[in-house]
Amino acid sequence: MNDQKPLFKSPYDLKDVSALFSIVAFFLILAAIVGNNLFGIFQENFNFG
């Protein structure tokens, strides 16, 4: 039990984390744009007032 790894030592590479973060950010931006366009079409087709 004396050979434990430190709790906060980073076992990952910074390049991997930045690449994964950029992929997730790109997907979220794309989903926000597509969702906003679809909701705009939905609002135009249905009259709520």
Side-chain angles (χ1 to χ4, degrees), residues 5 8-22:
K5 290 183 179 178
F8 293 107
K9 186 176 187 324
S10 59
Y12 41 79
D13 191 12
L14 190 62
K15 292 178 188 173
D16 296 337
V17 175
S18 61
L20 184 65
F21 178 77
S22 63

Side-chain angles (χ1 to χ4, degrees), residues 12-40:
Y12 41 79
D13 191 12
L14 190 62
K15 292 178 188 173
D16 296 337
V17 175
S18 61
L20 184 65
F21 178 77
S22 63
I23 291 171
V24 171
F26 178 73
F27 177 74
L28 287 177
I29 291 170
L30 189 67
I33 292 172
V34 170
N36 194 15
N37 288 338
L38 289 178
F39 187 70

